Amino acid sequence: MPCYLITTLPPLSHLTPNNSLSSPRYFCFSHAAASSSSSSSHIHLAKTSLPLTMRRRRGSRRSRSATASDESVASVSTDDDKRVGPDVATLLRRFWKVAAPYWSSEDKVQARLRLAAVFALTLGTTGISVGFNFLGRDFYNALANNDQEQFMKQLLYYLGGFATGIPFFVLRDYARETLSLRWRSWMTTYYMKRYFKNRTFYKIQSQSIIDNPDQRIVDDLSAFTGTALSFSLTFFNAAIDLISFSNILYGIYPPLFVVLIVYSLGGTAISIFLGKGLVNLNFMQEKKEADFRYGLVRVRENAESIAFYGGEESELQLLIDRFKRAFENLSELLISSRNLEFFTNGYRYIIQVLPAAVVASMFFSGKIEFGVINQSVSAFNHILSDFSLIVYQFQAISAFSAVIDRLGEFDDLLDGNESSILSKHESTEGIKIAFRELWDPLSSNGSTLQSEPKKLLEVQSLTLRAPRSRNILFTDLTLEITNKDHLLVMGPSGSGKTSFLRALAGLWNSGSGTIIYYINGIRQPSDAAANESAKSIDNSLEAQDEELIQSSKYRRLGGIFFLPQKPYMVLGTLRQQLLYPTWTDDLLLSSDKPEKKGSLPFLSRGSNTNDAMEKPTMPTSDDLMKVLQSVRLGDILSRFKGLDAIYEWSSVLSLGEQQRLAFARLLLSKPKLLLLDESTSALDDENEAHLYRQIEQAGITYISIGHRKTLLKYHNRVLHIKKSNSDDIGSTSNWSVMPVSQTSEAIEETTSSA
């Protein structure tokens, strides 16, 4: 019996672990004896590459991305290890919720046109594959019949098919990748806007609601868009394949079609059974690797403190412990993957001989030619790969399911739908914050300012609770701050001084009461609007828009400025440090280069300033140099080569220099009301006195938190808060407001307890 050499190409199921979403894969002929691929006589270019080991590719990418969740310590709890994955209905709901917004967004026209183009090109590549199926039949018939003339003719057809078909596959993959990038870009801006809206980023961080939100924005969004498109094209391609090749296979030998269906359904059921734990393991691997990475980031950011403490061994053990948890989870993941691959590899190799074995009797009896065997094998592999997507891609599907789960959880939280999580941290009641205007509604034009002293802040019956423990810090605090009325908040450590500032900033809303800010520049009302406001001003609190109240920019442009104990140093130049945050938008807009052709509109910067607010004019370079001199940082310009030098400012500047730089920021912003949280704690008495003189001369009213007795001379009144006692918190007040001259006993108690 003569021997025939059949050259083959691997179908979709034979993508290697090195495949990635961004790398289109083309296949060449290989000898059947040396290849692990199943028989196929056509150029199998119509399949869309899928990430069989997406978790491995993502793992390498994770090593290049910093994750930032300060509460990721909680991620090593045993509760996480017992996490139960979501059901199929929840995954489908979350997939739709995450995927749908883009296709109805402002970019929907481009998105839909590009998607239609991708599907059209995919349809074209499927048609090309069908043509190669018939070319392969005639090619091998000529080879089997020793017909050299027909063989050369079919070879030329093959070469022509290459020249015609390859551009379709290249353009299809390029169109898919550009659409994926566009989709990811839109989703990144969409999620980041919601992440920063209403200080959600602060709530997630301070209350440890979910782990590693940065990883979900960077890595999970990238994986979601690329994989979602690839899977969509694969399922679309599978449907077209079934229509195109089922007729071919059924026409050759109907029993072979029945064998195919039974074989694929059985393989799918077994794969689901063997791989049912992979989704949760992939979810946990993403989390544990991110936690380990963040541990290393923390060492880099706190290197000096760790060195002073001599904590190298402790940090090493903590990091090894985090890596050990990632290692243990990955070991379980590899075991589950190994068990699944035992089956999938066997499933894959059996099909090399199964279709030929079924139709061999017809060839031996002379009912079909040898080329028909090759054609039946090709059609069988095409259809089987379509029916067996779950078998071949189960690891990719499980990794994608973990991505959907993490993004869906994040999306639910950003929408405020995760009531089971939020209810643990936030009360249904809350502290109300409102803004009122410093104009007299009874005047003729509504623009006359209040007579002196102007009221700047009013606190009404404020009861404050710690968000997590729900402990009461103080009750029924009531006070007013007027122009030039400087208040010092004192008390023992843990009494709630900084918590009071958090409540004033809107960072904490656990408790009850009302905080009213009186600011300039909200709007210039008409006479009718002024009269209407006069009638409803007492009821205005409930009508305030929540997003407006929570807007830091609205509060800041209204003349209210907060200064924390440890200043935030932005990434950028010294100029950006000084202009942050008031003129950051203006600085970025002024430095923007002309947009390149094809740039995305939703990635363009635009001014977010509320048009109704009056924003100060951006300082000039001379103004910046003068303010540095006024806070005694004039030498910083020569040390760091001017205003446009870029350094890691939190590392190259001492804490005292950072605090003085923060004072330079506020002097440039010229607020009406300033709230300081031990903002001079790293300064000597002389520099502290100098900075307080500067803000006093600038006409700024301030509220300070501090322990030092030296602060008393810069303030008119003192709010003293004692530590709360759960036994008598309801019967007696643990706070008092008094003039500075009457605070000697309270100060002695504060300094002895601090």
Side-chain angles (χ1 to χ4, degrees):
M1 177 180 296
C3 295
Y4 301 99
L5 175 65
I6 303 177
T7 54
T8 64
L9 291 172
L12 175 67
S13 59
H14 292 253
L15 298 182
T16 66
N18 293 323
N19 286 351
S20 67
L21 286 171
S22 60
S23 301
R25 181 72 56 174
Y26 302 113
F27 300 103
C28 304
F29 287 111
S30 60
H31 194 284
S35 173
S36 62
S37 61
S38 56
S39 296
S40 174
S41 62
H42 62 283
I43 309 303
H44 199 91
L45 294 172
K47 297 299 183 184
T48 304
S49 299
L50 284 175
L52 290 183
T53 55
M54 185 168 63
R55 55 182 166 78
R56 295 172 190 163
R57 186 179 72 89
R58 289 167 53 76
S60 63
R61 188 174 63 245
R62 185 85 63 261
S63 65
R64 299 190 299 269
S65 65
T67 62
S69 174
D70 197 41
E71 298 294 340
S72 59
V73 174
S75 67
V76 298
S77 65
T78 55
D79 291 341
D80 288 330
D81 297 328
K82 298 177 182 178
R83 180 184 180 277
V84 178
D87 54 27
V88 175
T90 301
L91 280 175
L92 291 176
R93 177 188 66 80
R94 286 181 166 175
F95 173 80
W96 178 253
K97 189 169 182 291
V98 172
Y102 175 61
W103 306 100
S104 57
S105 69
E106 69 277 11
D107 198 43
K108 63 183 178 182
V109 175
Q110 280 290 324
R112 295 173 183 179
L113 288 175
R114 288 170 181 267
L115 183 64
V118 171
F119 277 108
L121 288 168
T122 301
L123 190 62
T125 56
T126 302
I128 293 172
S129 292
V130 172
F132 272 116
N133 182 272
F134 286 97
L135 278 176
R137 181 196 62 186
D138 296 338
F139 181 84
Y140 286 107
N141 277 337
L143 183 63
N145 295 331
N146 293 321
D147 188 340
Q148 185 175 2
E149 181 181 353
Q150 185 66 17
F151 175 81
M152 295 302 298
K153 182 179 179 180
Q154 294 301 321
L155 182 60
L156 290 175
Y157 286 157
Y158 252 129
L159 295 176
F162 288 150
T164 303
I166 286 177
F168 278 87
F169 297 105
V170 173
L171 291 175
R172 179 205 64 187
D173 292 328
Y174 175 76
R176 185 190 71 233
E177 293 301 325
T178 53
L179 176 57
S180 173
L181 178 60
R182 195 179 187 97
W183 187 8
R184 179 195 174 188
S185 300
W186 184 89
M187 289 188 71
T188 299
T189 57
Y190 175 62
Y191 273 81
M192 286 197 299
K193 288 176 181 177
R194 295 160 69 205
Y195 182 54
F196 285 101
K197 183 179 179 181
N198 295 340
R199 299 193 189 94
T200 302
F201 71 96
Y202 174 79
K203 296 174 185 176
I204 291 174
Q205 170 79 2
S206 62
Q207 300 172 19
S208 188
I209 299 176
I210 61 170
D211 68 277
N212 303 299
D214 53 312
Q215 179 205 33
R216 301 178 194 231
I217 292 174
V218 177
D219 289 337
D220 290 341
L221 280 180
S222 176
F224 178 85
T225 54
T227 312
L229 276 179
S230 290
F231 271 123
S232 299
L233 292 177
T234 298
F235 285 121
F236 174 74
N237 197 76
I240 301 301
D241 265 2
L242 286 174
I243 296 172
S244 303
F245 288 96
S246 293
N247 290 331
I248 296 175
L249 189 63
Y250 193 83
I252 294 173
Y253 192 43
L256 183 58
F257 189 77
V258 176
V259 169
L260 182 150
I261 293 176
V262 173
Y263 188 74
S264 61
L265 292 178
T268 299
I270 296 173
S271 293
I272 293 174
F273 174 77
L274 293 175
K276 58 186 177 182
L278 283 174
V279 174
N280 192 51
L281 287 171
N282 274 288
F283 183 100
M284 294 308 303
Q285 191 61 30
E286 296 285 342
K287 184 176 186 299
K288 291 176 185 297
E289 288 184 5
D291 293 339
F292 172 61
R293 170 65 178 173
Y294 185 66
L296 291 169
V297 173
R298 292 276 294 170
V299 171
R300 184 187 68 192
E301 292 178 346
N302 299 277
E304 185 176 58
S305 297
I306 295 171
F308 272 125
Y309 276 113
E312 296 87 350
E313 288 297 325
S314 297
E315 291 298 323
L316 176 61
Q317 292 305 315
L318 289 171
L319 287 171
I320 289 176
D321 183 65
R322 288 196 173 197
F323 179 77
K324 180 181 177 183
R325 293 175 184 274
F327 169 80
E328 290 171 349
N329 189 83
L330 183 56
S331 296
E332 292 183 40
L333 183 58
L334 291 175
I335 291 171
S336 297
S337 300
R338 178 203 63 191
N339 295 339
L340 179 63
E341 288 177 3
F342 272 130
F343 170 73
T344 56
N345 282 330
Y347 181 91
R348 182 179 299 128
Y349 283 111
I350 289 175
I351 64 174
Q352 293 186 46
V353 297
L354 182 61
V358 174
V359 300
S361 59
M362 298 179 65
F363 173 71
F364 292 138
S365 63
K367 295 180 180 179
I368 59 173
E369 296 180 307
F370 177 73
V372 176
I373 294 180
N374 201 51
Q375 184 183 24
S376 66
V377 170
S378 171
F380 184 93
N381 289 332
H382 251 293
I383 300 172
L384 185 64
S385 64
D386 300 330
F387 272 125
S388 305
L389 282 176
I390 294 179
V391 178
Y392 293 144
Q393 305 299 331
F394 197 89
Q395 292 185 52
I397 292 172
S398 64
F400 186 47
S401 299
V403 169
I404 295 172
D405 192 15
R406 290 177 63 79
L407 279 179
E409 184 181 57
F410 189 38
D411 194 83
D412 287 342
L413 179 62
L414 294 179
D415 279 349
N417 293 334
E418 199 65 73
S419 58
S420 61
I421 294 178
L422 293 177
S423 62
K424 298 177 184 177
H425 306 285
E426 295 188 6
S427 172
T428 54
E429 62 175 333
I431 298 169
K432 298 180 178 64
I433 301 180
F435 296 91
R436 289 184 182 174
E437 297 167 280
L438 284 173
W439 51 271
D440 184 359
L442 300 180
S443 65
S444 59
N445 60 5
S447 61
T448 303
L449 295 178
Q450 293 178 338
S451 59
E452 296 290 342
K454 293 186 292 188
K455 188 187 295 185
L456 298 179
L457 171 66
E458 185 177 0
V459 179
Q460 300 175 351
S461 303
L462 179 63
T463 296
L464 184 61
R465 294 175 177 268
R468 295 181 67 88
S469 65
R470 312 299 299 164
N471 292 334
I472 296 177
L473 300 176
F474 51 77
T475 60
D476 295 323
L477 174 62
T478 299
L479 60 83
E480 290 185 1
I481 300 294
T482 58
N483 191 31
K484 305 293 185 178
D485 181 16
H486 309 310
L487 178 71
L488 175 62
V489 182
M490 304 190 79
S493 297
S495 59
K497 303 184 300 298
T498 299
S499 301
F500 175 51
L501 247 63
R502 292 187 182 119
L504 292 179
L507 303 182
W508 282 15
N509 68 343
S510 300
S512 60
T514 301
I515 299 170
I516 307 172
Y517 289 101
Y518 295 86
I519 60 178
N520 288 323
I522 297 179
R523 59 183 181 273
Q524 295 297 328
S526 63
D527 292 344
N531 293 333
E532 182 65 25
S533 180
K535 296 176 183 178
S536 61
I537 193 167
D538 291 333
N539 300 319
S540 64
L541 295 178
E542 297 298 330
Q544 292 288 338
D545 179 76
E546 179 181 356
E547 183 177 350
L548 189 63
I549 290 173
Q550 294 296 327
S551 171
S552 299
K553 177 170 285 189
Y554 187 86
R555 181 192 67 211
R556 188 173 64 251
L557 296 182
I560 304 162
F561 203 100
F562 286 80
L563 208 60
Q565 181 177 3
K566 180 170 174 51
Y568 173 61
M569 297 287 105
V570 301
L571 300 175
T573 65
L574 180 59
R575 186 188 304 273
Q576 289 174 302
Q577 305 300 323
L578 292 167
L579 297 179
Y580 180 86
T582 307
W583 296 280
T584 299
D585 293 343
D586 297 338
L587 190 63
L588 291 174
L589 286 170
S590 64
S591 63
D592 270 350
K593 298 178 181 179
E595 293 186 358
K596 295 181 179 180
K597 183 180 180 181
S599 61
L600 304 180
F602 44 83
L603 292 182
S604 300
R605 295 192 187 102
S607 177
N608 297 320
T609 304
N610 191 331
D611 292 335
M613 302 295 294
E614 183 179 353
K615 188 174 183 178
T617 304
M618 187 168 70
T620 64
S621 295
D622 288 340
D623 295 331
L624 300 183
M625 288 186 283
K626 287 178 182 178
V627 79
L628 287 173
Q629 292 288 347
S630 69
V631 297
R632 298 180 176 177
L633 281 178
D635 65 318
I636 201 173
L637 293 171
S638 58
R639 285 166 54 195
F640 298 107
K641 301 178 182 179
L643 292 170
D644 296 313
I646 298 177
Y647 288 91
E648 185 68 38
W649 298 103
S650 59
S651 299
V652 299
L653 297 179
S654 68
L655 182 57
E657 289 174 322
Q658 293 178 44
Q659 289 186 340
R660 280 183 280 166
L661 192 63
F663 271 84
R665 285 177 184 167
L666 75 90
L667 289 172
L668 289 168
S669 297
K670 300 176 182 177
K672 296 287 188 266
L673 179 63
L674 173 64
L675 298 100
L676 306 97
D677 182 13
E678 300 192 57
S679 302
T680 58
S681 59
L683 299 176
D684 57 80
D685 292 348
E686 183 183 351
N687 274 306
E688 179 182 75
H690 174 73
L691 292 177
Y692 269 99
R693 284 196 299 269
Q694 291 292 318
I695 58 177
E696 175 74 25
Q697 292 170 6
I700 300 171
T701 302
Y702 48 85
I703 300 174
S704 303
I705 288 178
H707 294 288
R708 294 179 180 179
K709 291 182 181 181
T710 54
L711 293 173
L712 287 170
K713 66 180 87 170
Y714 315 122
H715 298 81
N716 310 118
R717 293 189 295 162
V718 173
L719 167 62
H720 187 266
I721 303 175
K722 299 179 182 179
K723 279 192 175 181
S724 61
N725 189 325
S726 58
D727 296 331
D728 58 6
I729 190 66
S731 57
T732 60
S733 175
N734 67 326
W735 60 270
S736 60
V737 179
M738 62 192 77
V740 169
S741 59
Q742 300 177 11
T743 59
S744 58
E745 293 183 3
I747 296 304
E748 291 298 330
E749 179 184 344
T750 298
T751 54
S752 62
S753 302

